[in-house]
Amino acid sequence: MSEKLIFELSKEGRCGFSLPEIDVPTKESLIPDKYKRDSEPSLPEVSEVDVVRHFTKLSLLNYHVDFGFYPLGSCTMKYNPKINEKLSRLSGFTAVHPHQLEETVQGSLQLMYELGELLCEIAGLDEITLQPAAGAHGELTGVMIIRVYHKKKGHSRSKILIPDSSHGTNPASVTLSGYKTVQIKSDENGLVDLVELKKAMDEDVAGMMLTNPNTLGLFETNVVEICNIVHEKGGLMYMDGANLNALCGISRPGDVGFDIVHFNLHKTFSTPHGGGGPGSGPLGVKKELAQFLPLPLVRKDNGKYSLVYDRKDSIGKIHSFFGNFGVMVKAYAYLRMMGEEGLKEMSECAILNANYIKKSLENLYFLPYTQHCMHECVFSGRNQKEKGIRALDIAKRLLDFGVHAPTIYFPLIVPEALMIEPTETESKESCDQFIDAMIKIAKEPTDVVKGAPHSTVVKRLDEVKAAKDLKVKY
Ligand SMILES: *Cc1c(COP(=O)(O)O)cnc(C)c1O
């Protein structure tokens, strides 16, 4: 099945609606001539049925988590219960306006307040802002807070430490905030090299951004010592908490020594993502940093909720109004439904699934780091490369088995990386289906794998051309 562009379906004069002739006098346009376009817009002329069939066909070409297994490492593409969507559409939440008086939106304020409390409890932190719209936005907010913290103390520091296994958004946030990134090498176990860290840590370092578990899916076993090394020289510890579905109910970042943590509600806490929809990247901090959080914050006094605007050290607003409220409703509903035990089980299942896949494939695919993993595992396509098969070929071949490709070529420190995150919502059967496909691929002749995908509507695309010769206009 293929589908033309909607412009190619256009037939002159065809129309998707019919209206009666106007039977009242028309008025001169109120729009001044200088604001009017010179020519008619070039829009496709199609009937209603053309439009409906066109978009239905396009939707069937799309792969999504409601369709099948989606092991995209570092992305947590898990299944999200539909009930949360329904709850976020309740008119009590959708028919309020951010400018309404506080006493008329007590329920919404309560939801934000309690969501913040729950997230602080999960991460062992004291206060939180729900404003950031994504993980990267939370990072930027966090690094801005690191900057004002040092400024307030009268220091001017210029560097932030980041391990070489980090997510690309970390150095980007650091650079955007005007700091220099100093990369810390990983040791032979894929963890932060403490000797390197000690060498790099000095009084010009404002802090360190660390992902835990790191992007190799490994728990930073020396995390307490890492925090101590950075704190001793006056730096702050930032944890990239995008991968929190590995830790809930197991380890709290605030307890091991982190000062600032961002959450990805659209990964861990049940908002679907990947389609470019709204996200949410709340940022929690320890008490000493709470004065710098963006405003407003929600306060609770004698059972009444109100908005706090009176903190003179705040870094200011980083999103209009309060952030993406609908996402908060979904996260809140999810947390309340899961409860303490449920959340812990979520993390345990995420870890179990990843280790099951790791163990099942370790004889066929090279494992650069062999220790127990957390919510994801990273293989290298090194063995396959000797036969001329690249990680990209394996990813493409998986499409023929009805599986979404995993993350490839990331993290950068693993050559031919295949980064697999099954997530906790997958059953043993769907993990097995993936494992079987990977075993079959490992045993297939080179040309079959290199020629993949064979069964998809669109075969292998010229990705260089797609990037260099971008055609966005018909
Ligand atoms: C996804 C992710 C981010 C960025 O989150 P966005 O919401 O996409 O901006 C940052 N760090 C890690 C480790 C991630 O997995």
Side-chain angles (χ1 to χ4, degrees):
M1 188 185 74
S2 68
E3 181 60 2
K4 289 179 174 171
L5 296 177
I6 196 162
F7 287 94
E8 292 168 330
L9 298 174
S10 182
K11 283 273 177 304
E12 204 179 323
R14 196 167 282 174
C15 186
F17 59 89
S18 58
L19 294 173
E21 287 290 319
I22 197 154
D23 62 355
V24 289
T26 52
K27 243 188 124 148
E28 273 294 290
S29 169
L30 297 173
I31 302 169
D33 279 345
K34 65 173 177 182
Y35 294 127
K36 288 187 188 161
R37 55 193 312 146
D38 304 327
S39 55
E40 290 283 306
S42 132
L43 295 174
E45 296 178 71
V46 281
S47 67
E48 179 176 316
V49 64
D50 290 338
V51 174
V52 171
R53 287 189 181 154
H54 175 68
F55 285 104
T56 303
K57 282 179 194 163
L58 289 185
S59 76
L60 295 173
L61 294 178
N62 197 16
Y63 192 97
H64 43 92
V65 79
D66 288 352
F67 181 84
F69 191 58
Y70 208 132
L72 200 61
S74 200
C75 282
T76 315
M77 301 297 287
K78 67 183 185 186
Y79 179 80
N80 298 295
K82 299 291 175 252
I83 182 78
N84 300 337
E85 295 294 329
K86 207 165 168 144
L87 294 172
S88 72
R89 284 172 176 74
L90 289 176
S91 63
F93 293 126
T94 54
V96 287
H97 192 280
H99 278 316
Q100 257 175 260
L101 294 175
E102 285 168 14
E103 52 271 30
T104 67
V105 285
Q106 285 291 304
S108 298
L109 295 179
Q110 179 178 358
L111 183 137
M112 288 193 281
Y113 181 84
E114 290 183 6
L115 173 62
E117 294 264 286
L118 292 170
L119 293 174
C120 282
E121 171 68 22
I122 288 169
L125 299 166
D126 299 312
E127 284 209 53
I128 193 163
T129 172
L130 303 174
Q131 278 184 35
H137 197 194
E139 291 171 28
L140 182 66
T141 309
V143 181
M144 286 164 78
I145 288 177
I146 293 178
R147 177 179 286 288
V148 291
Y149 164 83
H150 287 295
K151 198 166 167 212
K152 181 106 185 152
K153 291 198 139 198
H155 306 155
S156 79
R157 298 188 174 210
S158 71
K159 299 181 292 192
I160 296 219
L161 309 181
I162 299 188
D164 58 4
S165 63
S166 82
H167 194 268
T169 49
N170 292 186
S173 302
V174 165
T175 306
L176 266 180
S177 311
Y179 280 111
K180 279 199 291 287
T181 300
V182 178
Q183 212 178 63
I184 305 294
K185 276 218 189 70
S186 302
D187 64 14
E188 66 282 2
N189 297 317
L191 303 175
V192 170
D193 188 321
L194 293 183
V195 179
E196 291 279 326
L197 174 64
K198 280 184 196 147
K199 254 197 273 170
M201 186 62 212
D202 60 28
E203 261 136 45
D204 194 26
V205 171
M208 177 174 196
M209 290 181 93
L210 188 64
T211 308
N212 192 30
N214 67 24
T215 59
L216 296 165
L218 305 175
F219 190 89
E220 290 284 351
T221 43
N222 296 318
V223 65
V224 173
E225 196 175 348
I226 294 171
C227 291
N228 287 340
I229 293 170
V230 173
H231 283 152
E232 265 164 29
K233 297 254 163 80
L236 291 174
M237 282 302 294
Y238 181 103
M239 187 175 112
D240 178 334
N243 301 327
L244 218 63
N245 66 330
L247 295 186
C248 287
I250 296 173
S251 165
R252 302 200 313 167
D255 295 346
V256 301
F258 287 99
D259 306 293
I260 312 177
V261 181
H262 86 253
F263 304 78
N264 272 45
L265 299 191
H266 50 288
K267 285 181 183 170
T268 318
F269 300 108
S270 187
T271 277
H273 71 120
S280 178
L283 184 87
V285 296
K286 288 274 181 68
K287 250 199 261 37
E288 309 78 70
L289 298 173
Q291 57 183 313
F292 305 117
L293 285 171
L295 299 177
L297 297 165
V298 187
R299 172 165 46 206
K300 182 180 179 187
D301 268 327
N302 298 324
K304 273 220 153 67
Y305 300 89
S306 58
L307 295 166
V308 177
Y309 288 96
D310 59 351
R311 288 192 186 174
K312 66 176 177 27
D313 291 329
S314 163
I315 60 164
K317 283 194 80 62
I318 43 108
H319 194 286
S320 54
F321 300 112
F322 316 108
N324 286 326
F325 182 67
V327 181
M328 298 172 206
V329 178
K330 287 180 233 183
Y332 181 76
Y334 179 72
L335 287 172
R336 292 295 300 267
M337 277 188 275
M338 293 292 276
E340 257 177 62
E341 282 308 307
L343 277 182
K344 185 165 183 219
E345 200 180 328
M346 163 190 89
S347 291
E348 288 169 348
C349 290
I351 295 169
L352 185 64
N353 278 353
N355 280 284
Y356 178 58
I357 288 178
K358 172 176 161 281
K359 212 63 214 150
S360 305
L361 294 175
E362 68 183 2
N363 292 332
L364 289 168
Y365 294 88
F366 179 67
L367 255 187
Y369 305 101
T370 50
Q371 69 265 48
H372 182 80
C373 68
M374 297 295 280
H375 64 303
E376 61 196 357
C377 57
V378 181
F379 289 98
S380 160
R382 203 179 79 168
N383 303 344
Q384 284 68 28
K385 199 177 172 192
E386 285 164 16
K387 295 196 289 175
I389 294 172
R390 308 285 312 268
L392 177 73
D393 303 320
I394 298 168
K396 295 288 184 195
R397 183 65 179 134
L398 276 169
L399 306 181
D400 287 329
F401 291 90
V403 172
H404 192 280
T407 299
I408 50 174
Y409 301 113
F410 179 79
L412 304 175
I413 55 173
V414 175
E416 299 295 313
L418 290 153
M419 185 193 206
I420 294 152
E421 181 182 7
T423 82
E424 68 277 9
T425 55
E426 293 306 325
S427 61
K428 179 169 179 297
E429 291 75 29
S430 54
C431 291
D432 282 338
Q433 186 208 338
F434 172 74
I435 291 163
D436 287 347
M438 288 292 281
I439 292 174
K440 283 201 187 100
I441 293 171
K443 296 179 176 165
E444 281 180 326
T446 302
D447 57 328
V448 171
V449 183
K450 286 208 81 72
H454 302 284
S455 64
T456 51
V457 179
V458 179
K459 303 292 179 268
R460 191 153 329 183
L461 297 170
D462 183 341
E463 285 168 18
V464 175
K465 190 170 164 61
K468 295 217 161 165
D469 186 16
L470 192 64
K471 199 169 161 191
V472 290
K473 210 169 147 197
Y474 176 65

